[in-house]
Amino acid sequence: MEHKKSSKDIIVFGFALFAMFFGAGNLIFPPYLGIITGPKWLISFIGFTFADAGLALLAVMAATKFEGDLNKMFSRAGEKLGIAIGCADILCIGPLLAIPRTGATTYEMGIMPIFEDKIPVVIFCIVFFVITYILTIKPSKVIDIVGQFLTPALLIALAVIIVKGVISPLGPIVEEPMIQGVVAEGIAQGYQTMDAFAAIALASVLIVSMNEKGYTETSDKLKAILKAGALACVGLALVYGGLCYLGATVSTFNDVNAVQTQVIVNITQGLLGNVGKTVLAVAVALACLTTSIGLTSATGQYFANLTKGKISYGKIVLAVCIFSACMASIGVGAIIKFASPILSIVYPPTIVLIVLAFFNEKIENDNVYKFATYMSLIISTLTVLQSYGVNVPFINSLPFAPLGFNWIVPVIIAGIIGNFVKPKKAC
């Protein structure tokens, strides 16, 4: 009986993790990645899946060790730095990037394919975030119902599209990739999903569910999440791999300037006609709305707790919705360009703290955390500056630079040095 119960729990947790990691916005990256990497779509897809699902799973497991307390998880890097990185992560999945992208994606994939330019983007963004505000302040069972039925419905639609696209490809794959460094590009696109940040912020929801089911020991939770996460990652890999391949099959009709939100819409229309395009548009619009509500609520709760109630949850939610409406109106493409350097800077220190969380009991010296985190921040910042034309001669010569991980070796060295530096004694 216990085995059956555990197996059922793993499946339930696996679907929960899948739903947590997979949002409608994730649809826009794999097909575009397939277009620009062409015959090497499989290699780029592996990089994408690692940076998306792989890091998200690690993030959930790390957060579980701290019962979902983000500030506690980051605290050993120093109170100020830990809070700064935590705030940066939440702002990325909040009003700065992810929440506006839900509104912009809904407009470009859900509204424009059906109504074209008849509804102005500004008017739509206002309506979208007014609805988000109302349902975040006063949650309705409608959202739970939509969320429960929407993910399976969206997956069924995607399965039909992918199978049809594999059986009857829309076109030949280009002979050469359109870009250099396909693995690094896959990782960069995986960063754009921001699932690792979302996983940290939303892990507490899963932890509550696990506690209710009797998983009170941290070791039991970690084992269950590892098994459930493997299930979720297999599901995500199948979806992402299929979408990436579909993108590769239309690579002869597109180039690096393809509009990311339109790629999957055009593929769906090519495979299933206008009916398929309309069904996808409606599903994506509803999925983006539920994602917007979830992320807005998580952002409101984080900053309300951080300020110890000095700024109320309601005021934070209102500010998030107003700012997100303004950001969403600039469009998905502009948001992605704006997000790229920010994520390239914030992700490495976040990854460092996620990995170090697994060794929390074995590492006694806090300077390991501080030195490693600051080094990752320095290297990632210099890398972004280099991409904007600032000459940093050594930055591209570091190990693993072609893969986008030039910070790993300096971080390891910095962490080792930090281990031999005595921490300051508290007064």
Side-chain angles (χ1 to χ4, degrees):
M1 291 296 291
E2 186 65 30
H3 175 71
K4 287 184 179 179
K5 181 189 174 189
S6 297
S7 299
K8 182 180 178 182
D9 289 343
I10 296 303
I11 294 172
V12 171
F13 295 149
F15 277 112
L17 284 171
F18 182 94
M20 188 185 296
F21 299 159
F22 183 77
N26 294 29
L27 293 175
I28 65 180
F29 299 109
Y32 176 76
L33 188 62
I35 287 174
I36 61 177
T37 58
K40 294 187 177 180
W41 67 268
L42 183 59
I43 300 173
S44 64
F45 146 74
I46 293 171
F48 177 88
T49 304
F50 167 76
D52 174 63
L55 291 181
L57 176 57
L58 282 178
V60 171
M61 294 182 69
T64 300
K65 289 174 64 67
F66 297 89
E67 288 297 311
D69 189 332
L70 180 60
N71 289 330
K72 186 178 179 183
M73 179 176 159
F74 288 174
S75 63
R76 293 191 66 180
E79 184 179 356
K80 292 181 180 178
L81 180 61
I83 290 175
I85 294 174
C87 288
D89 290 354
I90 297 299
L91 286 171
C92 284
I93 65 162
L96 203 59
L97 305 174
I99 295 175
R101 197 172 69 195
T102 61
T105 300
T106 302
Y107 182 76
E108 294 182 23
M109 293 183 68
I111 301 300
M112 286 188 67
I114 299 173
F115 300 100
E116 297 180 344
D117 296 326
K118 294 176 182 177
I119 300 176
V121 63
V122 174
I123 300 298
F124 170 78
C125 289
I126 291 172
V127 172
F128 182 89
F129 285 104
V130 165
I131 295 172
T132 296
Y133 174 76
I134 293 170
L135 294 178
T136 304
I137 293 296
K138 295 182 179 180
S140 167
K141 288 185 178 179
V142 173
I143 297 305
D144 293 331
I145 293 170
V146 170
Q148 288 173 7
F149 291 102
L150 187 64
T151 299
L154 188 57
L155 282 175
I156 291 170
L158 287 175
V160 172
I161 294 167
I162 290 170
V163 170
K164 182 73 161 52
V166 171
I167 295 173
S168 306
L170 289 173
I173 299 174
V174 292
E175 294 182 0
E176 295 291 333
M178 301 177 190
I179 58 165
Q180 298 293 322
V182 293
V183 176
E185 182 63 26
I187 291 169
Q189 294 282 331
Y191 283 171
Q192 285 279 2
T193 66
M194 293 175 272
D195 280 344
F197 296 164
I200 295 173
L202 299 175
S204 56
V205 177
L206 183 61
I207 291 168
V208 169
S209 176
M210 297 185 85
N211 287 333
E212 291 175 350
K213 289 182 179 292
Y215 291 80
T216 53
E217 297 294 326
T218 301
S219 59
D220 292 337
K221 291 176 187 173
L222 289 173
K223 288 177 184 176
I225 287 176
L226 183 60
K227 293 176 182 177
L231 179 65
C233 287
V234 168
L236 288 167
L238 290 173
V239 174
Y240 291 151
L243 291 174
C244 203
Y245 172 75
L246 292 186
T249 64
V250 296
S251 55
T252 52
F253 316 135
N254 293 277
D255 57 25
V256 292
N257 297 314
V259 179
Q260 286 172 282
T261 51
Q262 290 303 304
V263 172
I264 186 64
V265 174
N266 293 340
I267 289 173
T268 303
Q269 185 172 21
L271 291 170
L272 302 176
N274 287 329
V275 173
K277 182 181 73 171
T278 302
V279 170
L280 179 69
V282 173
V284 165
L286 291 172
C288 282
L289 181 60
T290 54
T291 301
S292 177
I293 292 163
L295 294 179
T296 300
S297 178
T299 304
Q301 290 173 9
Y302 176 81
F303 284 108
N305 292 333
L306 186 65
T307 61
K308 296 178 180 178
K310 292 180 181 178
I311 305 176
S312 69
Y313 171 80
K315 289 180 180 178
I316 294 169
V317 167
L318 178 60
V320 166
C321 288
I322 292 172
F323 187 84
S324 297
C326 296
M327 281 291 293
S329 64
I330 69 176
V332 173
I335 292 172
I336 289 173
K337 287 181 181 178
F338 176 67
S340 184
I342 296 172
L343 295 175
S344 295
I345 291 173
V346 176
Y347 250 106
T350 303
I351 295 171
V352 167
L353 289 172
I354 287 172
V355 172
L356 288 176
F358 290 96
F359 304 96
N360 192 57
E361 294 82 8
K362 296 182 179 180
I363 300 174
E364 297 179 358
N365 192 338
D366 286 355
N367 280 332
V368 173
Y369 291 78
K370 293 175 182 177
F371 279 48
T373 305
Y374 274 111
M375 179 57 74
S376 65
L377 200 54
I378 290 168
I379 298 297
S380 63
T381 302
L382 290 175
T383 303
V384 169
L385 290 175
Q386 172 90 349
S387 69
Y388 280 92
V390 178
N391 187 25
V392 187
F394 68 90
I395 209 73
N396 289 331
S397 301
L398 292 170
F400 308 115
L403 300 177
F405 288 110
N406 59 345
W407 48 271
I408 286 183
V409 172
V411 161
I412 293 173
I413 294 171
I416 293 172
I417 294 171
N419 189 52
F420 293 100
V421 178
K422 291 183 179 180
K424 292 181 181 179
K425 291 183 179 180
C427 297

